[in-house]
Amino acid sequence: MFSHSRLFVSVLAASLTAVQAATEWPLTGAVGPTTTTAAKRAVICNVLDYGGTIGSSDIGPAILSAFTNCVQTAATATLYIPPGSYNMETWVTLDDGSHWALQLDGIIYRASTTSGHMFVIENANDFEMFSSNSAGAIQGLGYECRNAGPRLLRMVTSTNFSVHDLIFVDSPEFHVIVQTGSNGELYNLAIRGTNLGGSDGIDISGANHWVHDVEVTNRDECVTVKNPANNLLIERIWCNQSGGSGIGSLADGTTIEDIIYRNVYTNGGNNMMLIKSNLGSGYVQNILFQNFIGRGSAYGLDIDSYWSDETPGTGAGVQLTNLTFQNWDAEIVSDTRAPVQIICADGAPCTDITLSNVNMYVESGTAVVKCESAYGTGACLKASGTTSYAIVTSTIALPAGYTTPPTLAGDLASGFATDSSIPIPTIPSTFYPGLAQISPLAKN
């Protein structure tokens, strides 16, 4: 179990062409590629030399050919998709590459309703997917096949990798998935999904990953931790008309620990943080949620161990232990919803839950917070114990002199319609009020 003196992370952020390193908890070592972008440009595998054309009706075969016949035959290489527009009907799985980059400077448009993933990067080592002009994009055109087509990008069991300076737009389903692996870095990303469930922004599992400087618009997961996961640092996240960030949904065999979420800004979210499960087994422990700002969210801090959208697990409940919520400031739009709700499983009560300087209010000025089978300090938590108890409530009032939280210039007033095309945005340079991005955009 960590002590509060260890909750500060020192990160050494090098240039975009250098290895990223972190020295303290929760990251356990370096993240990102182990060789530079320049080194990977020793061999350029241009899709235009492998059967591709700008304006192609299907750039997929050219990508596969460039990977097989060029990337995999070189010690280091960059698979290059130049500026321009390309349709894509053939999805690609790029497996077992080492010391390589995928440089997407053009825009790829989904042109098939085949399920699966447009891009799967699997078992990669020392890998970088990026856009040098910070304008490369995958446009999923999901309004044409809502919840019935591909996802955009899936990283599978890869290590020492980065995904940055890219734009993911309107996936028919999820946008970016990191499936286990280790030592990954995701940053300088803009994700634009529709105002509908099933449009997840980033779902991430694995070990020793750093996610920072990301904007997500959708109506489902913003940046959410999935099982299993440990030693993740997630910061400077802008959930801009989004379902909000979370952990879960969780079931049997959960192993999630040693994570920091910090500097997370939610504008118009379903929630600011949702930890969701329905019975199950395993644990979530040693998590810090620090510096959260919310404006216009339906819910605020929500732990729901009886989340009805999840099939009940076979265990008595996922054990939540040593969770700290520190420096939260938000105004919740609904007077009928609890801005703080900590509902834990009766068969696995939550312990060592700490709310410190958590200021969550509703527009009417008075709110009711709820707790069940949860122990710690703050809100309606009981101070000590290990047994279950029924829901208890307490009332919090808007203090005199309270002012609404700050904004960002690009805050959206609403989400994007489900039945029309979503425009491709630019990647912002600020993701949390008052803080600059950690790494400059590649184009700069």
Side-chain angles (χ1 to χ4, degrees):
M1 184 177 295
F2 62 79
S3 65
H4 294 300
S5 64
R6 295 177 58 208
L7 294 179
F8 300 95
V9 175
S10 173
V11 175
L12 172 64
S15 72
L16 291 175
T17 59
V19 174
Q20 303 287 341
T23 58
E24 293 184 22
W25 194 92
L27 297 178
T28 56
V31 297
T34 55
T35 59
T36 66
T37 304
K40 294 182 180 70
R41 287 179 173 147
V43 175
I44 302 296
C45 307
N46 191 326
V47 294
L48 303 185
D49 297 328
Y50 290 87
T53 58
I54 294 175
S56 168
S57 61
D58 185 10
I59 196 63
I63 294 172
L64 285 168
S65 179
F67 179 74
T68 301
N69 298 306
C70 183
V71 170
Q72 291 194 308
T73 64
T76 61
T78 293
L79 197 163
Y80 180 46
I81 304 172
S85 296
Y86 309 84
N87 284 346
M88 186 171 176
E89 294 183 346
T90 302
W91 310 154
V92 297
T93 296
L94 309 178
D95 191 6
D96 284 332
S98 295
H99 317 302
W100 71 287
L102 173 53
Q103 182 177 337
L104 171 58
D105 286 348
I107 300 173
I108 293 177
Y109 293 84
R110 178 200 56 78
S112 170
T113 58
T114 304
S115 62
H117 302 78
M118 292 179 67
F119 284 86
V120 175
I121 310 296
E122 190 165 7
N123 301 317
N125 178 39
D126 183 21
F127 169 74
E128 181 176 10
M129 181 173 179
F130 74 106
S131 170
S132 68
N133 57 16
S134 303
I138 302 176
Q139 168 58 278
L141 300 172
Y143 74 98
E144 297 176 341
C145 54
R146 188 66 64 204
N147 287 330
R151 300 166 185 182
L152 302 189
L153 172 66
R154 192 177 198 102
M155 296 289 308
V156 181
T157 54
S158 295
T159 188
N160 305 318
F161 66 89
S162 66
V163 178
H164 66 91
D165 287 273
L166 290 167
I167 306 165
F168 299 90
V169 182
D170 198 14
S171 178
E173 298 197 48
F174 302 171
H175 289 81
V176 177
I177 302 122
V178 177
Q179 181 181 329
T180 65
S182 62
N183 308 339
E185 183 180 13
L186 285 73
Y187 64 99
N188 292 351
L189 302 177
I191 297 173
R192 281 277 200 268
T194 192
N195 201 42
L196 186 71
S199 55
D200 295 21
I202 297 176
D203 293 336
I204 186 165
S205 61
N208 199 49
H209 296 314
W210 185 20
V211 183
H212 60 93
D213 300 302
V214 174
E215 180 193 8
V216 176
T217 300
N218 60 359
R219 197 52 66 188
D220 211 314
E221 317 286 6
C222 181
V223 177
T224 290
V225 173
K226 301 293 185 178
N227 185 54
N230 63 275
N231 300 97
L232 308 185
L233 175 58
I234 301 168
E235 60 181 330
R236 304 191 194 198
I237 304 300
W238 183 8
C239 304
N240 191 5
Q241 293 295 336
S242 169
S245 292
I247 297 177
S249 54
L250 308 174
D252 295 320
T254 296
T255 56
I256 295 177
E257 61 186 332
D258 299 339
I259 292 168
I260 287 180
Y261 270 96
R262 69 180 177 192
N263 302 326
V264 177
Y265 174 57
T266 302
N267 167 56
N270 289 15
N271 57 74
M272 294 172 63
M273 172 56 59
L274 172 60
I275 303 174
K276 51 188 178 179
S277 60
N278 193 351
L279 302 179
S281 62
Y283 59 84
V284 175
Q285 62 186 16
N286 308 341
I287 318 289
L288 173 66
F289 305 89
Q290 185 182 60
N291 303 337
F292 276 57
I293 295 174
R295 293 179 57 88
S297 286
Y299 292 90
L301 193 173
D302 189 0
I303 295 176
D304 189 348
S305 299
Y306 295 101
W307 193 57
S308 59
D309 286 356
E310 172 73 8
T311 301
T314 60
V318 176
Q319 179 71 61
L320 275 57
T321 303
N322 198 25
L323 310 186
T324 297
F325 303 87
Q326 184 181 79
N327 303 333
W328 284 49
D329 188 12
E331 186 178 61
I332 304 304
V333 296
S334 174
D335 296 342
T336 62
R337 294 168 176 156
V340 175
Q341 175 174 278
I342 303 175
I343 305 299
C344 299
D346 291 339
C350 301
T351 59
D352 197 14
I353 309 300
T354 302
L355 277 64
S356 174
N357 193 31
V358 173
N359 303 306
M360 309 281 284
Y361 305 108
V362 296
E363 291 177 336
S364 68
T366 302
V368 175
V369 298
K370 299 179 181 179
C371 299
E372 177 182 351
S373 299
Y375 294 91
T377 58
C380 47
L381 294 164
K382 292 193 175 184
S384 62
T386 58
T387 60
S388 64
Y389 63 85
I391 289 178
V392 297
T393 63
S394 62
T395 300
I396 55 175
L398 190 70
Y402 177 80
T403 58
T404 56
T407 64
L408 285 176
D411 281 347
L412 297 171
S414 60
F416 290 95
T418 62
D419 58 355
S420 58
S421 183
I422 297 175
I424 298 173
T426 57
I427 301 173
S429 57
T430 302
F431 300 83
Y432 183 87
L435 293 180
Q437 66 193 138
I438 293 171
S439 301
L441 295 176
K443 68 181 180 180
N444 296 329

